[in-house]
Amino acid sequence: MKIAHITDTAMAYVPSRFVDLINKYTSHTAHLFHTKQFSFGDPWNLVNNFPKEVRLLHECDVLHYHGSRIFDAGKLGGLDLASLASKPKILHYHGSPQRENPEKYQRSGVPLLVSTPEMLPLFPGSQFFPNLIDETDKLYTPKRQRDDGLIKICHHFSPHPARKDTELFLKLQREWPKESRAKFVSIPSLPLTEALRQRAECDFVFDHFQGYYGCISIEAMAQGVPPINDVSDFVMGALCSFFGVEPPFVRTRNSAYQGLLDLVEGIEKCQSDFSRLGERCREFMEKYWSGKVLIHKLIDIYKGLLS
């Protein structure tokens, strides 16, 4: 089976990760098609200038669309996709635009995947399938070797700070006692490799307080760094149903500043309670949230489209 992953944004590297996992761990083949590949020239010249890419696209058995813009437009850059209309398709929603305006993104007649469970009620009939990483990649192997007695809590800045509760983190960073063992590390917008390197040197990663979790929580667990978030009971229940066990997130029930404050105070006072949490995070990724294993579940979804 050949699968086309079609996107027009980076989507937190998600499409390329799926493609890499399929090609590395299954007997099937996946290709990534991005709008930028087909952005120049008229359709006839596109077909002639990119014969290999166009041929690969037409040879694919399943079209996996990440986001709906290309799906709705029927064009990949300047390339008309009308000739692929009969191929099985699946639509995959990953983020904030769909959460913030679900009415705009309702679609009928096409199977829909959502990458985090809080979107399930927003899109009736959708199916939850988590974002994946290859936990065997050296980028995600635990590396922390500090022994300085500090408790480093980091936050990776986003182009959308309101969605990541960056101001909560900065407020705590400003107001936290300087003599405390808890230290706050602000990681600017960096290439993924460098961001992962800096995160790996910390003891906790603050994801956000939006009621769900981001790719940062997944990456942090693989690195053996416990992620802080406030996933709702609904989200945790859906994750437990999918994996058979709850992920070892560091959760707070209070999503406001006080919730983060109380959480950090608890970590500082009872650090021994969290001493094995990083190991548990890594173990969870290897045993339950393994890209190497779960990619076969995605292949089963594709097979269902073809049956």
Side-chain angles (χ1 to χ4, degrees):
M1 178 169 45
K2 296 180 180 179
I3 306 102
H5 282 257
I6 301 172
T7 184
D8 61 355
T9 68
M11 294 279 190
Y13 303 95
V14 170
S16 60
R17 286 170 174 168
F18 281 132
V19 168
D20 291 344
L21 288 166
I22 290 169
N23 291 333
K24 185 175 181 179
Y25 294 118
T26 80
S27 60
H28 306 281
T29 304
H31 300 282
L32 181 65
F33 297 92
H34 195 284
T35 304
K36 290 180 181 178
Q37 291 174 278
F38 305 99
S39 295
F40 305 101
D42 59 61
W44 174 254
N45 285 329
L46 283 167
V47 171
N48 286 277
N49 291 338
F50 304 97
K52 179 182 176 181
E53 289 82 357
V54 173
R55 176 178 56 80
L56 285 174
L57 186 57
H58 280 79
E59 288 177 353
C60 286
D61 303 293
V62 174
L63 308 181
H64 186 147
Y65 289 87
H66 295 270
S68 60
R69 282 193 292 262
I70 298 173
F71 176 82
D72 292 341
K75 291 182 179 295
L76 181 57
L79 186 66
D80 195 323
L81 301 179
S83 59
L84 306 177
S86 63
K87 289 185 179 289
K89 303 170 185 64
I90 194 162
L91 194 56
H92 202 158
Y93 286 163
H94 294 284
S96 298
Q98 292 84 29
R99 295 186 193 97
E100 294 168 0
N101 191 0
E103 293 78 13
K104 178 181 177 181
Y105 293 96
Q106 300 295 331
R107 300 292 181 273
S108 60
V110 59
L112 178 62
L113 298 180
V114 293
S115 61
T116 45
E118 83 289 345
M119 288 194 280
L120 287 169
L122 302 178
F123 300 98
S126 62
Q127 180 178 352
F128 166 60
F129 192 86
N131 291 335
L132 301 178
I133 62 172
D134 184 356
E135 76 284 354
T136 69
D137 191 310
K138 63 181 181 180
L139 285 174
Y140 301 108
T141 53
K143 299 180 178 66
R144 191 169 64 258
Q145 297 178 337
R146 289 182 17 251
D147 188 22
D148 52 16
L150 299 177
I151 305 170
K152 288 190 175 182
I153 304 167
C154 69
H155 177 61
H156 189 182
F157 286 11
S158 162
H160 307 287
R163 296 175 184 167
K164 297 296 183 180
D165 295 297
T166 295
E167 185 52 40
L168 284 181
F169 183 84
L170 293 177
K171 178 177 169 61
L172 192 59
Q173 185 178 38
R174 290 192 301 267
E175 298 181 358
W176 194 260
K178 302 302 181 186
E179 65 275 11
S180 168
R181 290 186 301 121
K183 303 298 179 183
F184 301 89
V185 180
S186 299
I187 300 176
S189 183
L190 293 168
L192 180 64
T193 301
E194 178 58 21
L196 289 171
R197 186 192 68 76
Q198 293 193 26
R199 280 187 234 155
E201 296 174 355
C202 296
D203 300 285
F204 296 87
V205 171
F206 173 59
D207 191 345
H208 57 64
F209 282 171
Q210 298 290 315
Y212 56 98
Y213 60 90
C215 283
I216 284 177
S217 285
I218 306 171
E219 294 165 349
M221 286 201 299
Q223 292 181 291
V225 182
I228 296 171
N229 57 45
D230 73 333
V231 298
S232 66
D233 290 340
F234 176 84
V235 169
M236 187 60 87
L239 291 173
C240 190
S241 296
F242 187 89
F243 295 115
V245 63
E246 291 187 355
F249 295 149
V250 181
R251 299 169 69 196
T252 177
R253 297 294 180 176
N254 186 343
S255 299
Y257 175 75
Q258 188 64 43
L260 183 58
L261 178 66
D262 293 344
L263 190 61
V264 175
E265 286 179 344
I267 290 172
E268 188 174 37
K269 291 177 182 176
C270 306
Q271 188 176 8
S272 60
D273 295 345
F274 296 91
S275 60
R276 277 208 71 249
L277 189 55
E279 294 175 28
R280 286 177 52 210
C281 286
R282 176 65 190 183
E283 290 167 0
F284 185 91
M285 293 300 296
E286 292 175 345
K287 187 174 182 180
Y288 300 105
W289 207 321
S290 166
K292 181 179 180 179
V293 173
L294 292 179
I295 196 62
H296 293 279
K297 286 193 173 185
L298 184 58
I299 293 296
D300 289 339
I301 292 174
Y302 295 148
K303 289 179 178 178
L305 297 176
L306 293 170
S307 61

